Amino acid sequence: MTGMKLSASLTALTCTVLLPLPVAAADLAGNYLAARQARLTSDYDAAIHYYMRALGDQPREPLLLDGLIMAQVSAGAVDAAVSPAQRLDEMNIDSQVGHMALIVDAVKREDYASVLTRIEQSRAIGPLVDGLLAAWMELGQGNMSAALARFDSVAGEPGLARFARYHKALALSYVGDYEGAEALYASDGENPVQMTRRSVLARVEALSQLDRNEDALTLLGNIFGSDPGMEIQDLRERLAAGETLPNSHVTSVADGVAEVFYSVAAALEQETAEAYTLLYARIATALRPDHVDAILLSGELLEDLERPELATRAYRAVPRDNPNFYLAELGRATALRRAGREDAAIEVLDQLAATYPTLPKIQASRGDHYRWQGRHMDAVQAYDAALDLYSGDDPSKWFVYYARGMSQERLENWEDAKTDFRAALAINPDQPNLLNYLGYAMVEKGENLDEALTMIERAVELDNSSGYIVDSLGWAFYQLGRYEDAVVQMERAAELMPVDPVINDHLGDVYWKVGRIREAQFQWTRALSFDPEEEEADRIRRKLAAGLDAVLAEEQKGTEQVAADGG
């Protein structure tokens, strides 16, 4: 990240462990190690604490300063990162995250010339960001022609054209040239503007400014369909009423720079580590605190980093009067659940359901939370409410049917569960997890085995990297008595998920059936070491003691006895 090497002082403190250290040196090493570990585990509050303590002994140590800045930006305390970033800058230490903090500070102070100087001296961030930053800085200084030339220069770089043209369109809208912006949005030539959710909404505003509300409504319909989200619904109503939408995406140079960082964060989301992407999302919100998309992205990234308490804090930054407040609250509910505060999560969702009684997504989320808690009757009722609210052709209904089917199955309402699974398949016939779930359930029940096998084989075709799905195919072969075929699939599943207790247990069973007794016993022993459910663990112990055939015979006898007793 920084290109810096460990300083001699910290190398000595952290690598020489056999020699006694002075108390101050030992404290420094301990604080540094604690800070580094906290940052590696994304515990940014703790990282800040320990970096600050270590800096008390070594206030100009570059490694400590860079780590502190990174933790502060990651925690959303970008303003606090400016002072340590200035110290690094004074020492001519190259720190990308330090440059970010200083650029935020300069943009907020409208010191656009200093940012251009930093870019010229290669003390900024990177080719894409620097090129777009320079364009916005020129615009901030009133040099529109120079700004447009810089956008065009970035567009000439391989892979950067769509980003550059989007920002050029934003800049044109910012100065009131909506016709120029729309011409860029409408261009279908080589490398057109990247049509993300935000660029579509920015274009909608430009069309409205051009008195083309009908075209804006058509665009919303083409892109979002019958999306019942509050923001889209609000825009539709305002456009239909003849209102001219204001240009809200960029109302200042700082907004434009925030959009640069958010654009990069959104592009990085699927490409690089969450901790790195988070830096860009945090910078976007530092420049524009009302950038709700950046706030939501920060929350999602923090959840992925297993920091639900920080995610909850991020989601709380979305104001209640924002149309996307409910999305932030849905995120907060998930973060609360992951933090072990399940009752608080349900309370958030109940309040949302009362505030937004017509949004099916909220009821569906309530159902998911109840299902994760094992409260399947409550889950079914919430899913019922969600399905009553969805429009007839909404494709997202498939998951609600699927989820309700899972809860119905857990309630042993198999016929209702099958009806839901098939309703989900009618909407989304090539969803591998859905095909696998229904196929596996039918295999377990010994029902429609040929159809079940066909479903699972199709699921494997669609996703052959899922150990669970490959395991289902192996288990289907097992139930059909095709044990050699089952071995091939079960071994593959165990390669994909080597520490899953169920898969190792299944592999033991198929080994037993083909006469590989020692290998079967080995797999069952492995399965026990991976902490299976107690009922499954007891069954595995019985197989190890008496063998699979004896256990199956005992279970068959028990089933026959239950039938004879009228059970």
Side-chain angles (χ1 to χ4, degrees):
M1 182 74 174
T2 67
M4 296 184 296
K5 296 181 179 179
L6 289 172
S7 70
S9 61
L10 281 176
T11 301
L13 290 175
T14 57
C15 295
T16 309
V17 295
L18 297 179
L19 298 176
L21 296 171
V23 173
D27 287 346
L28 171 59
N31 286 325
Y32 165 67
L33 292 172
R36 186 176 66 172
Q37 180 61 25
R39 185 163 63 81
L40 289 174
T41 58
S42 307
D43 189 354
Y44 300 119
D45 289 341
I48 292 169
H49 171 74
Y50 287 114
Y51 277 123
M52 294 287 284
R53 290 184 61 171
L55 282 163
D57 295 312
Q58 292 283 344
R60 293 180 65 80
E61 168 52 53
L63 188 68
L64 296 176
L65 289 166
D66 186 67
L68 173 62
I69 297 164
M70 199 174 301
Q72 288 171 323
V73 172
S74 300
V78 178
D79 288 345
V82 173
S83 178
Q86 287 171 337
R87 274 185 265 172
L88 283 181
D89 214 42
E90 290 164 2
M91 293 186 284
N92 292 318
I93 301 296
D94 185 28
S95 166
Q96 188 187 52
V97 70
H99 298 328
M100 289 181 180
L102 293 176
I103 286 169
V104 169
D105 180 58
V107 170
K108 283 184 172 182
R109 291 186 288 103
E110 300 185 2
D111 185 2
Y112 308 128
S114 72
V115 177
L116 283 170
T117 299
R118 296 188 70 85
I119 293 169
E120 291 164 4
Q121 296 174 347
S122 298
R123 293 188 300 133
I125 297 159
L128 172 59
V129 174
D130 290 355
L132 297 177
L133 269 178
W136 283 107
M137 295 305 97
E138 295 282 13
L139 189 55
Q141 295 185 112
N143 302 325
M144 186 63 184
S145 59
L148 296 178
R150 287 192 183 262
F151 283 127
D152 290 340
S153 177
V154 176
E157 296 293 324
L160 304 185
R162 293 188 172 201
F163 288 101
R165 287 177 180 158
Y166 169 51
H167 280 271
K168 183 178 180 180
L170 290 176
L172 290 168
S173 287
Y174 171 60
V175 299
D177 184 1
Y178 298 108
E179 289 185 357
E182 170 54 19
L184 280 173
Y185 289 128
S187 174
D188 58 0
E190 186 178 359
N191 296 315
V193 172
Q194 190 174 27
M195 280 292 104
T196 64
R197 180 177 179 279
R198 286 189 67 80
S199 62
V200 169
L201 298 184
R203 184 182 180 187
V204 164
E205 290 179 350
L207 286 169
S208 184
Q209 286 288 325
L210 292 169
D211 295 326
R212 294 172 58 184
N213 280 17
E214 288 300 322
D215 291 335
L217 282 166
T218 299
L219 177 62
L220 286 176
N222 291 340
I223 300 298
F224 299 108
S226 57
D227 185 335
M230 295 295 292
E231 183 177 25
I232 305 303
Q233 184 179 0
D234 177 64
L235 289 175
R236 283 181 169 137
E237 291 174 356
R238 292 165 65 190
L239 289 166
E243 180 181 340
T244 299
L245 300 181
N247 174 48
S248 67
H249 275 65
V250 172
T251 61
S252 67
V253 171
D255 288 354
V257 178
E259 200 65 26
V260 170
F261 282 94
Y262 176 74
S263 296
V264 174
L268 290 175
E269 186 180 5
Q270 303 300 323
E271 303 295 332
T272 191
E274 291 90 349
Y276 186 65
T277 306
L278 178 64
L279 296 173
Y280 286 85
R282 290 296 209 184
I283 294 293
T285 55
L287 286 161
R288 184 169 186 175
D290 66 347
H291 199 307
V292 172
D293 287 334
I295 295 171
L296 294 176
L297 178 57
S298 296
E300 292 164 9
L301 291 166
L302 288 163
E303 287 186 61
D304 292 340
L305 290 165
E306 298 183 2
R307 283 295 161 191
E309 69 287 350
L310 289 176
T312 300
R313 189 191 306 171
Y315 289 129
R316 278 193 173 278
V318 177
R320 184 174 292 274
D321 60 355
N322 187 280
N324 287 322
F325 172 73
Y326 77 99
L327 292 176
E329 287 293 273
L330 288 174
R332 187 163 73 92
T334 299
L336 287 168
R337 181 185 63 81
R338 289 179 176 174
R341 300 175 59 190
E342 294 182 346
D343 290 343
I346 289 295
E347 182 180 349
V348 169
L349 293 171
D350 287 344
Q351 290 176 355
L352 273 181
T355 305
Y356 302 96
T358 63
L359 287 185
K361 188 170 186 176
I362 294 170
Q363 293 291 351
S365 185
R366 289 179 72 239
D368 292 340
H369 281 254
Y370 284 132
R371 177 166 54 86
W372 293 326
Q373 288 185 23
R375 296 169 58 180
H376 293 291
M377 185 64 72
D378 291 330
V380 167
Q381 291 175 355
Y383 291 134
D384 288 345
L387 288 167
D388 287 342
L389 292 170
Y390 276 111
S391 62
D393 59 349
D394 194 311
S396 58
K397 287 196 301 185
W398 81 267
F399 186 81
V400 183
Y401 281 121
Y402 174 36
R404 189 173 70 176
M406 287 189 279
S407 283
Q408 292 284 21
E409 186 202 12
R410 295 300 177 87
L411 292 168
E412 299 185 359
N413 299 329
W414 175 234
E415 291 303 318
D416 289 335
K418 276 196 301 184
T419 299
D420 278 342
F421 292 141
R422 293 192 184 280
L425 278 173
I427 299 170
N428 198 353
D430 285 331
Q431 214 296 321
N433 292 321
L434 173 56
L435 287 164
N436 175 64
Y437 196 103
L438 177 55
Y440 185 85
M442 291 195 295
V443 166
E444 283 285 273
K445 297 177 184 301
E447 178 181 306
N448 302 330
L449 291 180
D450 289 338
E451 181 189 15
L453 179 60
T454 299
M455 285 183 176
I456 298 170
E457 287 177 329
R458 178 57 179 156
V460 172
E461 286 178 20
L462 294 164
D463 183 3
N464 63 8
S465 64
S466 168
Y468 291 123
I469 294 177
V470 176
D471 170 75
S472 295
L473 181 57
W475 199 240
F477 284 139
Y478 171 89
Q479 295 286 47
L480 290 167
R482 294 168 56 178
Y483 301 125
E484 295 292 347
D485 291 332
V487 167
V488 173
Q489 301 301 328
M490 286 300 182
E491 288 179 337
R492 170 66 176 149
E495 289 175 3
L496 291 168
M497 301 187 69
V499 298
D500 184 84
V502 174
I503 290 174
N504 281 279
D505 182 27
H506 284 173
L507 180 55
D509 287 4
V510 298
Y511 277 157
W512 179 277
K513 285 296 186 180
V514 296
R516 295 162 64 174
I517 305 303
R518 287 186 181 275
E519 290 169 280
Q521 293 170 334
F522 174 77
Q523 291 303 141
W524 290 332
T525 302
R526 272 177 60 82
L528 277 178
S529 72
F530 299 137
D531 195 26
E533 297 290 334
E534 184 53 39
E535 183 178 348
E536 293 303 316
D538 179 67
R539 188 173 187 269
I540 293 170
R541 293 187 195 100
R542 289 189 285 121
K543 287 189 289 188
L544 283 166
L548 176 61
D549 294 338
V551 171
L552 291 175
E554 178 185 323
E555 290 171 346
Q556 178 63 27
K557 182 178 179 182
T559 302
E560 291 172 354
Q561 184 62 50
V562 169
D565 292 342

